Amino acid sequence: MKKTFTKKGIISRRRKRKQGGAVLQPFSPAYQDGYLLGYEEGLKAGTASYGNYMDGTSIVIPTFNQLAYLKECINSIKAHTGVPYEIIVVDNASSDGTEAYLRSQNLGVRYTILEENRGFSGGINHGLMMARGKYIVMLNNDTVVTKGWLTHMLHCLQSDEQIAAVGPVTNYIGGDQQIEVSYQQIQDMWAFAERYSNSDPSQWRITDRLVGFCLLFRRELISEVGYLDEGYRIGNYEDEDWNIRIRLTDRKLAVAGDSFIHHYGSVSMKKLADQFEQTNDHNAKFYAAKWGNPHELVLRTKEIRRIENSTELKIYAYHLYPNYRWIQSTAGILYWLADGQKHRVSFVGEEADYHQLQKKAVTLSRPELRQIPSGRDITASSEQEITEMIREKNYILGLPEGSIIMVDSLNGNLEWFQLSQGKRRPFVTRYAAEYWLNDTDTVHTLSSQVIQTLPLGLPLIAPSVLKHPL
């Protein structure tokens, strides 16, 4: 049946079909009027709500071949979550019947079935892109939540705007969140967890590190610090990476000591057997190459902010990106990043030249791009014309503003800087420098003594790798 929608209603053109000898009649005028009214009201409501989010929490659960744990996790959420929520399951190409379970059950769960295992980072990121809540929880599939778990964490998060993320305490994780428990079997856990059923703000504490088995945050945090880095394989270190970015932007991490979750612990990683050591080794090396000494980096950044008297200003990830760089959206829309603004570029030159600019550009996620203030649009026919239109004409140490500097430091290690607004801004590692630079960049060489005559500016970091952006 083909239907054409008009202002007067629905005009149906259908083949005549007989039922009990009678020819079916078109919809009555009253039905058409009612349908049109409902459609128009629905359109108004949908337009008005566009960009608004559910006044609740999206619980994102990546899973891979652990169906029994997943079922127990979902059941515990439904039994012990007293505030509005939605569950989003991202299946990383399981082969144990998880797909059939999600498709066949009336779970009240939103889900997606990926064609390949994208690991923890890739699975979480896909779920974050699906999330509709004002708050989001990353949750391992091998967890069992208990009474008050989410309510108490929400109270902690909402107690201080500077708190970016909150985690619970648990029986198995290590670090500041692990506590002593008195039970040995899961059936005995519930009696132990009863002591955490009441909110107790005296049990909240600020920490330097939260583990990604369960993390609660406001959805705005994705725009402020970016998605998880998909450069980490399968699992491990991606939560440490996210912690650093949160702390570099002067936000706090908190443990809600009045929220308890049982954690079986690394069940998916343990199944990797011989691959576990290889995966962990790769991720450890990637983490070190990306961040160097992250503890020192965080402390140094706080000190720079204090010296600049800028601790009251809110800082986002893009403040830690270099100046005068090409960036692009995941859809290939090109921007020139300059002085904390993105300038959309309309290129009227050769199409091949535009594609060359895209190859130089660093791809940022949509939330990050939206966070960067928009400057004036640029229409030009060449790269040189674009850079001359928007780039500062200042000189520092006889070199143009934005110049890239390589320094052979006193300890024999190479370091990279960008000259920006009278300061030297260090790339935190060689990886960060190479992420932003391309083969057409001119790199100047200065001595350590000369570069150190300039005050130190905010560090320059690499954004997250996104292998499967929507």
Side-chain angles (χ1 to χ4, degrees):
M1 179 175 65
K2 184 176 180 181
K3 298 178 180 177
T4 304
F5 293 86
T6 71
K7 292 183 179 180
K8 294 182 179 180
I10 304 171
I11 302 173
S12 299
R13 294 203 304 261
R14 63 179 70 186
R15 296 174 182 173
K16 291 183 178 181
R17 292 181 297 144
K18 292 188 177 182
Q19 185 175 7
V23 177
L24 295 176
Q25 297 299 317
F27 295 128
S28 68
Y31 179 92
Q32 294 180 34
D33 291 342
Y35 190 101
L36 180 61
L37 180 61
Y39 174 81
E40 291 178 341
E41 291 300 315
L43 182 62
K44 289 178 184 177
T47 303
S49 65
Y50 182 78
N52 296 331
Y53 296 100
M54 178 186 75
D55 191 14
T57 303
S58 297
I59 303 169
V60 178
I61 308 172
T63 191
F64 176 67
N65 281 349
Q66 299 298 335
L67 180 55
Y69 288 104
L70 176 64
K71 288 180 179 180
E72 188 175 15
C73 178
I74 290 174
N75 290 338
S76 71
I77 292 171
K78 291 183 176 182
H80 301 290
T81 308
V83 290
Y85 69 93
E86 66 170 356
I87 298 174
I88 298 172
V89 176
V90 180
D91 179 37
N92 270 316
S94 296
S95 57
D96 65 344
T98 296
E99 177 179 354
Y101 166 73
L102 292 173
R103 292 191 187 281
S104 66
Q105 303 296 313
N106 185 18
L107 297 175
V109 170
R110 297 175 62 214
Y111 64 88
T112 188
I113 311 295
L114 301 181
E115 296 181 354
E116 61 181 351
N117 186 354
R118 298 184 186 175
F120 185 80
S121 293
I124 282 289
N125 285 345
H126 194 99
L128 296 181
M129 294 174 193
M130 294 171 62
R132 300 181 298 193
K134 290 183 178 179
Y135 303 95
I136 301 174
V137 169
M138 302 179 191
L139 187 65
N140 277 20
N141 63 349
D142 62 340
T143 55
V144 179
V145 305
T146 66
K147 184 178 179 181
W149 74 284
L150 181 54
T151 304
H152 301 170
M153 286 202 297
L154 282 168
H155 289 165
C156 180
L157 181 67
Q158 294 163 351
S159 70
D160 184 351
E161 285 294 322
Q162 283 298 105
I163 295 177
V166 175
V169 293
T170 187
N171 60 301
Y172 183 98
I173 204 64
D176 196 26
Q177 292 173 263
Q178 183 165 326
I179 61 172
E180 292 291 330
V181 299
S182 58
Y183 64 89
Q184 298 294 324
Q185 304 296 326
I186 186 65
Q187 59 265 29
D188 301 322
M189 182 269 293
W190 300 107
F192 173 85
E194 188 62 29
R195 70 187 68 179
Y196 294 91
S197 60
N198 296 316
S199 180
D200 185 1
S202 69
Q203 299 301 309
W204 302 343
R205 57 186 181 275
I206 301 301
T207 186
D208 289 339
R209 174 177 178 263
L210 290 175
V211 185
F213 82 105
C214 178
L215 279 175
L216 168 71
F217 53 94
R218 302 173 186 86
R219 72 176 301 114
E220 291 82 14
L221 191 61
I222 303 170
S223 302
E224 295 168 357
V225 304
Y227 286 104
L228 297 186
D229 195 322
E230 296 177 25
Y232 296 96
R233 293 179 184 168
I234 303 177
N236 285 350
Y237 285 94
E238 61 284 297
D239 50 353
E240 304 278 3
D241 184 293
W242 218 50
N243 283 337
I244 296 170
R245 284 183 274 149
I246 290 172
R247 295 185 64 207
L248 283 174
T249 57
D250 259 1
R251 289 157 175 80
K252 300 175 184 177
L253 305 170
V255 176
D258 55 350
S259 175
F260 176 79
I261 291 179
H262 176 78
H263 184 215
Y264 287 103
S266 303
V267 294
S268 294
M269 293 299 293
K270 289 175 182 176
K271 289 288 185 180
L272 291 174
D274 295 341
Q275 295 182 48
F276 176 80
E277 291 297 330
Q278 182 181 359
T279 298
N280 199 62
D281 183 60
H282 169 273
N283 288 353
K285 289 178 179 177
F286 180 68
Y287 178 81
K290 183 176 178 180
W291 294 112
N293 186 334
H295 179 70
E296 178 185 330
L297 174 63
V298 170
L299 294 179
R300 186 169 71 240
T301 303
K302 287 182 180 292
E303 180 63 13
I304 292 170
R305 296 254 292 160
R306 186 191 64 80
I307 293 172
E308 292 178 343
N309 292 317
S310 61
T311 54
E312 297 302 315
L313 299 177
K314 201 165 186 179
I315 184 171
Y316 304 103
Y318 74 85
H319 290 124
L320 305 177
Y321 295 160
N323 218 356
Y324 309 129
R325 297 284 102 185
W326 291 107
I327 59 175
Q328 64 180 330
S329 71
T330 55
I333 299 174
L334 200 61
Y335 299 87
W336 179 245
L337 182 62
D339 302 316
Q341 293 183 323
K342 63 179 187 294
H343 302 267
R344 183 165 179 170
V345 176
S346 297
F347 200 70
V348 295
E350 296 292 331
E351 185 175 352
D353 294 337
Y354 185 83
H355 291 323
Q356 284 300 315
L357 294 183
Q358 286 181 313
K359 290 180 180 179
K360 295 180 181 181
V362 168
T363 301
L364 299 182
S365 66
R366 290 180 183 178
E368 274 197 279
L369 275 174
R370 284 198 299 266
Q371 190 71 55
I372 304 174
S374 296
R376 62 188 177 91
D377 292 351
I378 304 170
T379 300
S381 58
S382 68
E383 180 178 7
Q384 181 179 357
E385 184 180 351
I386 293 169
T387 56
E388 288 180 354
M389 289 172 65
I390 209 72
R391 190 163 182 165
E392 294 286 345
K393 304 300 182 184
N394 300 333
Y395 282 78
I396 306 169
L397 299 177
L399 295 172
E401 170 89 10
S403 293
I404 305 298
I405 308 298
M406 185 175 68
V407 174
D408 191 351
S409 64
L410 298 177
N411 60 11
N413 294 326
L414 293 177
E415 297 177 330
W416 288 263
F417 298 85
Q418 184 177 50
L419 304 182
S420 180
Q421 298 179 341
K423 299 177 181 178
R424 70 185 199 278
R425 296 189 63 188
F427 289 91
V428 296
T429 58
R430 179 173 186 158
Y431 171 86
E434 291 177 346
Y435 201 103
W436 285 102
L437 303 185
N438 55 70
D439 55 9
T440 61
D441 279 305
T442 299
V443 179
H444 305 272
T445 302
L446 292 178
S447 69
S448 179
Q449 292 82 358
V450 170
I451 196 70
Q452 287 184 17
T453 62
L454 298 175
L456 196 61
L458 288 175
L460 301 172
I461 69 173
S464 295
V465 175
L466 282 179
K467 295 182 178 179
H468 305 279
L470 293 180

